[in-house]
Amino acid sequence: MAKVLITGGAGFIGSNLAHALVDENDITIVDNLSMGKKENIADIDVHFCEHDVCDTKFMHQLLSENNFDYIYYLAAVSSVADSVARPLETHRVNQESVIDILEYIRLKKLPIKRFLFTSSAAVYGNLPDFPKKETSHVQPLTPYAVDKYASERFTIDYGRLYGLPTVAVRFFNVYGPRQNPDSPYSGVLSIITKCMKNNQIFTLYGDGSQTRDFVYVGDVVRALIKVATDTNEPTVYNVADGGETPLIDVIHSYEDISGKRLKIEFKETRNGDITKSKADISKLRGIGFKPKWTLREGLKQYWAYNLTI
Ligand code: UD2
């Protein structure tokens, strides 16, 4: 049984990862519940520590008392808008806490098998390269993107310079069960789901023609486990579906699946919103990963889940 640490493990992606790993692994979760929820992990047997990853004293003690095999680093302030409003505070979470852990692992020579950092498609910014490859130019336009990019590079450099077993991924638009819809910058499908369920009006910024590479969280979890366990290089992988769908088309499919009509109010495009997004996932496919969930199947599963809660 491997010992696994998931920071941000009570959050959306982290809790789905914990559910997938719990039967065969001994799992510790660190989460300050800023976006995560205890209910997300209430039905699984994990060691839960309600702590901030910036509490370095606590984190060092946790690492020295447990010989973790795998560390999945998902803790972050995931709101881009929040990083623009509070750049220094979010920097501490999104970058300093990551370097602190890497440095502790290096200095104490902790015998981990893999440290996986989760970065974001935000690092690509608004450049025209399309679809986005891991080798495409980056243009981190916000403190969030700068911190994700820097932490990702630190993670890779700790592998290249000091031989730590590290790797990183860049998430595109992940959706599915347990995504928290409570911020205006939450994933759009979590907001749409909430609006559909409660017959609320959904504000669509723009005309709905903006495209995204939507990837179901079940596939994201499979990709995370594969990258952490089946690769060796300190490098970065796009984690996405590799498809590109206009937002309005997603809404229509979702209406079709749920049998509900979404009330839409159209507003001006959000400042800084990108018009097109799509990943090239050939690097991920190259390690044997294939997305299992079509957008339609993912939406069906997500809607079915929402009817149970
Ligand atoms: C995603 C990430 C963000 C950052 C960015 C980099 C999520 C939740 N966010 O932002 O962290 O990495 O990619 O490019 O994964 N929308 C509406 N109404 C709403 C909410 C959203 O119309 O109430 C639109 C929004 O303007 C955008 C699209 O839906 O055009 C997707 O929005 P999003 O916030 O889910 O994701 P995105 O790609 O803007």
Side-chain angles (χ1 to χ4, degrees):
M1 209 180 228
K3 289 196 79 165
V4 177
L5 170 64
I6 307 175
T7 70
F12 164 41
I13 301 172
S15 63
N16 279 287
L17 177 66
H19 277 81
L21 290 174
V22 71
D23 289 342
E24 285 163 26
N25 298 276
D26 177 10
I27 297 183
T28 300
I29 285 175
V30 175
D31 199 303
N32 68 354
L33 302 180
S34 57
M35 276 297 270
K37 291 188 180 138
K38 250 179 149 170
E39 304 95 88
N40 286 345
I41 47 169
D43 55 340
I44 52 174
D45 186 15
V46 297
H47 312 283
F48 175 62
C49 312
E50 186 176 340
H51 264 278
D52 198 306
V53 285
C54 294
D55 183 347
T56 53
K57 205 171 150 215
F58 166 77
M59 290 303 289
H60 294 175
Q61 193 175 344
L62 183 77
L63 288 177
S64 67
E65 285 174 357
N66 293 273
N67 273 331
F68 291 118
D69 297 300
Y70 294 94
I71 300 174
Y72 291 91
Y73 209 93
L74 288 111
V77 177
S78 60
S79 161
V80 174
D82 205 6
S83 83
V84 174
R86 304 184 300 132
L88 182 59
E89 281 152 284
T90 58
H91 168 74
R92 293 197 169 111
V93 183
N94 291 346
Q95 192 182 146
E96 284 182 11
S97 74
V98 184
I99 306 171
D100 184 79
I101 287 231
L102 287 167
E103 186 63 356
Y104 191 76
I105 295 169
R106 176 174 87 98
L107 294 177
K108 298 289 172 186
K109 300 187 169 57
L110 298 181
I112 58 161
K113 293 203 170 81
R114 214 72 196 280
F115 176 92
L116 184 153
F117 176 72
T118 54
S119 180
S120 163
V123 304
Y124 293 116
N126 239 334
L127 294 171
D129 321 33
F130 205 73
K132 300 297 181 189
K133 271 178 106 75
E134 292 84 351
T135 49
S136 297
H137 288 102
V138 297
Q139 185 193 41
L141 294 169
T142 58
Y144 173 79
V146 169
D147 284 332
K148 282 290 183 187
Y149 188 59
S151 298
E152 171 198 310
R153 298 334 287 180
F154 268 108
T155 298
I156 290 167
D157 277 356
Y158 266 76
R160 294 196 180 143
L161 297 172
Y162 313 116
L164 258 59
T166 61
V167 71
V169 297
R170 292 176 182 161
F171 290 140
F172 280 68
N173 289 75
V174 189
Y175 71 96
R178 305 191 188 90
Q179 190 165 29
N180 182 339
D182 293 338
S183 138
Y185 291 91
S186 294
V188 69
L189 278 164
S190 69
I191 298 174
I192 291 174
T193 303
K194 189 176 162 196
C195 291
M196 271 191 181
K197 242 185 120 169
N198 304 329
N199 291 315
Q200 290 162 346
I201 296 170
F202 170 70
T203 306
L204 201 166
Y205 301 104
D207 60 4
S209 65
Q210 63 264 53
T211 63
R212 292 294 184 271
D213 188 331
F214 289 101
V215 56
Y216 186 64
V217 69
D219 275 337
V220 168
V221 163
R222 292 174 52 240
L224 288 174
I225 297 170
K226 188 147 195 69
V227 167
T229 55
D230 286 0
T231 69
N232 299 306
E233 290 295 301
T235 185
V236 65
Y237 292 88
N238 282 340
V239 169
D241 175 71
E244 184 191 5
T245 316
L247 183 55
I248 198 75
D249 292 5
V250 180
I251 292 173
H252 290 148
S253 301
Y254 209 17
E255 286 182 324
D256 194 32
I257 286 161
S258 65
K260 291 221 170 201
R261 246 189 102 65
L262 183 67
K263 293 179 197 146
I264 303 177
E265 173 191 33
F266 288 87
K267 281 209 179 148
E268 281 289 288
T269 301
R270 266 182 191 170
N271 201 3
D273 203 34
I274 53 174
T275 47
K276 274 166 82 67
S277 175
K278 174 181 156 84
D280 179 322
I281 58 162
S282 39
K283 191 168 173 183
L284 189 63
R285 285 186 184 273
I287 61 164
F289 177 85
K290 245 171 72 187
K292 253 191 182 159
W293 295 86
T294 60
L295 184 56
R296 202 172 168 84
E297 287 305 315
L299 289 173
K300 261 193 202 166
Q301 189 73 11
Y302 188 24
W303 185 251
Y305 169 84
N306 278 291
L307 296 179
T308 66
I309 54 166

